Amino acid sequence: MSITQSLSTSMISSSSSAFLVPTQLNSRPQSVSLQPKRVGLCKCVAAPQEEKIAFKTKVSRNANLTKLQAGYLFPEIARRKAAHLLKYPDAQVISLGIGDTTEPIPEVITSAMAKRAYELSTQEGYSGYGAEQGEKPLRAAIASTYYRGLGIEENDIFVSDGAKCDISRLQVVFGANVTMAVQDPSYPAYVDSSVIMGQTGQFQKDVEKYGNIEYMKCSPENGFFPDLSTVARTDIIFFCSPNNPTGAAATREQLTRLVQFAKDNGSIIVYDSAYAMYTSDDNPRSIFEIPGAKEVAIETSSFSKYAGFTGVRLGWTVVPKELLFSDGFPVARDFNRIVCTCFNGASNVSQAGGLACLSPEGLGAMRQVIGFYKENTDIITETFSSLGFKVYGGKNAPYVWVQFPGQSSWDVFSEILEKTHVVTTPGSGFGPAGEGFVRVSAFGHRQNILEACKRFKQLYK
Amino acid sequence: MLQLLIPRKPNLKGCHQKKLEKIYECYEVVQAHLLPVVALGQLEIDYDELAAAALRCYCTKVPRNVNMAKLRNGYLFPEISIRELQHLEKYPHAKLISLGIGDTTEPIPENIALSMANYARDLSTAEGYSGYGAEQGNKALRKAIADTFYNHVPVKETEVFVSDGAQCDITRFMLLLGSNATIAVQDPSFPAYIDSSVIIGQAGDFEDEVGKYYDIEYMKCRPENNFFPDLTSTSKTDIIFFCSPHNPTGHAATRNQLEHLVEFARDNGSIIVFDSAYAAYITDDSPRSIFEIPGAREVAIEISSFSKFAGFTGVRLGWTVVPEELLFSNGYPVINDFNRIMCTCFNGASNIAQVGGLASLSPEGFQAVRSLVGYYKENAKILLETFNSLGVQVYGGRNAPYVWAQFPGRKSWDIFTEILEKTHITTVPGSGFGPGGEEYLRISAFGHRESILEASKRLENLFS
């Protein structure tokens, strides 16, 4: 089997719970029984006679990790999908759950990566460690493509292996003694990384929230922008626009209020703009379009959903020079220290791809792929609207946020999966205010999107 | 507030606006010299301007992470780069030879590079495209790693987690452990262990007089103890970082030594973080994996990397092995938490890099990579011989791409500077790796053969 063949057959996400090693939480010795199951035949093997006492180290488990409720959301979705496939091995499952890009990367970009990869085998083309902050031409290209005229320069840009990794690195910069606010619902990595870092209290089952996190409700009632007058002060405010999962894009007026709010409270906004290029109307694409934002905000973004780089791994974070901690120390200095100590740069081949993405031809090609996914989004939005559902998002993001009032989102997720073999993402996975909603992702081959919509129509007609 | 930290001159003359860059540049200088307070005028800073501009700076109310403030200086290797740049500015025509940062120099074998190139190209086809990969890594690669490096020990492919490199894995493991864990490190050691420990909050303040952080156990590794710590005088800690073959001393621990280490860990209920990034450089029959030692599976994780093995320093690929039997004190498997961290704080190594990794483990690729390693080992041999012939006491170089040269009674930054100044060769001062590195210099064997030979010649001139 060729290398590429063996690689492509195994590119499915491993699920976390299928993965879990059985725990031995009792201190009493336990017998380990093995019960192999076969389809149609249940064969039980008696427990072995000798009892093996498992050796335990004396290292305490990190209390923060015990606070986490379940696995990370998306491996859970993958697990459900895998279980479904076992149940219905012949089903044509369509994945509109995990927001994974499906369309090939434009050639102008892959040929640049192929060239760079090949050149690594030549004397002139070989390069070893790159600058941890990223290759200069790429940093410059990011600055000029996305932040032209906004006073953001090349050395404010830190290239990374993706937004999710940057979020954790930012948490490491901030440490355990800061408080944070998130939108509710929101991309789970903000909350989960905060828990891991030790910024939060325990999970409160009654309200489905972690203690010490400020959840800023974003619902149809408030136009998916939090009522800041009711939001308590926190050190850090995570804000994603266009929003994952609701698809809402904050207006200039809203972001101006957010920046003012941060200014008044001395907070730092971590602005996630990973879906900025999906914006249809003239909402801001960067927080730095708002005057004063450089003193209160960090922006993180990604090539994942622009260039189909979900597997290639490339993103960036902007930390303006003007952003200072309370003692005047520049946040960028600490971020740089983390990048140099806890990271070693994004892959050089991926960076070559990123540079090609930002060439005129590359930008054009990316816009085409984005346009394709936006058309998918339109089709999905149209479908649910025509079925009488209240549908949100979709215009400025590759996600459609469909309301199922009074229903448990995991129940809706299960029903849709069971009856149409389409994977979605239950809204409550993104926070308690996601209950009653389901996120439908628009990443998929056109025929799959059309087929999925056909099945939705059949189910809900 | 910035203004409080800056000693004020009695008469505050007119204020003018300063460029923010200058302030930040000044800030670190000011901070470094604040305690004890330096007499005004010794530093070339206009305090009036600085203080005035500082008053205009908006500061958030977010407190700086106290752990970051504990860090002494920048990370070691960027510091070396800065010195190199400064040297080049001073001597623009100098033919600088970098034997400092351990950066690979030889091209990646063609078949490996081609695999990556072809895979990259295929990403623009419907059949060849792939999106998110498994956060734990591609299955075939995990299996290849298990089969190649752990075929003689019981390591399963499901215990192998592919990453974007050892330095990143170290921090992720620290995130997993949290701030309440205590660590022991070899002294000297790869700075990332200590720095990441400080950052996570496991360490106390830095004690200038001894050059150590409080609450970290430093295990001295010197020629006197055969570069293996005296475990009878080592305090118990939760975690023990152990690198073998060792960066920077080049010592490969013997089977006997590692058995003692595992026994020590078992007795104390500690977890060994075994860094085997240089295992491919072993010449003799020293263990290449901690899992060659019976009982290690219940007390150790192993971190490794393709960087020095396949020249992947820029490509970014590594792995960590977490055995299923490794349990926290409450019986919870460490591997479950490691998986959670990988799924939440990471999104997998680049698929292109992973293809390269897989190619390097194919029969053809592995053969090519071994030649590469052999090339650097030959470099190390040349450097070793050079120092030996000059009567300089040297260690390492046989099982690792580093030579550890001793200069008794001398400060390592001074020798570093002297060598840089007089021969235009960068090395790494031993004290950058810990107080146990004072008097030593690490010379890296990564370089073109001509550079290594030229460097040897220059060193011969200097020291003869």
Side-chain angles (χ1 to χ4, degrees), chain A residues 23-265:
Chain A
T23 63
Q24 297 184 49
L25 289 170
N26 299 336
S27 52
R28 285 179 291 121
Q30 288 185 310
S31 53
V32 180
S33 54
L34 303 163
Q35 295 181 316
K37 282 202 196 122
R38 277 174 220 138
V39 174
L41 184 77
C42 191
K43 188 173 177 182
C44 294
V45 178
Q49 292 302 315
E50 53 312 332
E51 292 189 340
K52 187 165 187 284
I53 302 169
F55 176 90
K56 294 193 277 255
T57 66
K58 296 199 182 105
V59 180
S60 305
R61 187 182 178 213
N62 184 346
N64 297 325
L65 286 164
T66 63
K67 291 177 189 153
L68 289 169
Q69 286 308 289
Y72 187 60
L73 174 65
F74 301 110
E76 288 296 309
I77 304 296
R79 189 191 67 79
R80 299 265 188 142
K81 178 185 170 185
H84 186 79
L85 275 164
L86 280 175
K87 196 171 165 188
Y88 302 100
D90 297 316
Q92 301 294 318
V93 173
I94 298 176
S95 295
L96 303 182
I98 297 165
D100 195 7
T101 46
T102 55
E103 301 313 289
I105 297 171
E107 255 188 74
V108 59
I109 298 163
T110 56
S111 55
M113 293 197 287
K115 182 166 183 279
R116 182 69 183 270
Y118 184 72
E119 280 168 357
L120 291 172
S121 61
T122 65
Q123 288 285 351
E124 321 74 43
Y126 180 75
S127 59
Y129 285 119
E132 297 93 338
Q133 306 81 0
E135 293 176 354
K136 268 185 175 300
L138 178 57
R139 296 170 82 187
I142 292 170
S144 66
T145 303
Y146 296 105
Y147 304 101
R148 191 182 294 274
L150 301 180
I152 296 293
E153 296 164 344
E154 163 193 328
N155 55 10
D156 297 321
I157 313 277
F158 294 82
V159 178
S160 76
D161 62 327
K164 192 196 226 185
C165 318
D166 274 342
I167 286 160
S168 281
R169 280 188 279 266
L170 281 167
Q171 297 287 31
V172 171
V173 169
F174 296 136
N177 292 328
V178 295
T179 52
M180 59 160 244
V182 288
Q183 289 162 291
D184 178 18
S186 71
Y187 179 54
Y190 314 141
V191 167
D192 284 18
S193 61
S194 183
V195 176
I196 288 168
M197 207 50 225
Q199 297 162 356
T200 78
Q202 295 292 337
F203 187 75
Q204 292 146 9
K205 281 199 158 62
D206 52 345
V207 289
E208 304 238 309
K209 295 181 180 182
Y210 287 93
N212 217 36
I213 295 184
E214 182 71 7
Y215 289 75
M216 307 184 295
K217 194 171 191 169
C218 291
S219 63
E221 292 77 28
N222 60 17
F224 295 101
F225 188 79
D227 177 3
L228 296 173
S229 67
T230 63
V231 175
R233 185 205 172 266
T234 55
D235 294 305
I236 313 297
I237 305 169
F238 278 93
F239 199 90
C240 178
S241 178
N243 188 263
N244 174 11
T246 69
T251 64
R252 189 166 310 272
E253 187 270 328
Q254 288 170 332
L255 291 180
T256 303
R257 277 193 279 137
L258 182 68
V259 168
Q260 190 57 50
F261 180 72
K263 234 343 173 353
D264 294 341
N265 285 344

Side-chain angles (χ1 to χ4, degrees), chain B residues 226 228 244 251-259 285-287 293:
Chain B
N226 200 18
F228 188 79
S244 181
H251 175 73
T254 64
R255 188 166 309 274
N256 195 38
Q257 288 172 334
L258 291 182
E259 279 166 1
D285 58 8
S286 304
I293 312 300

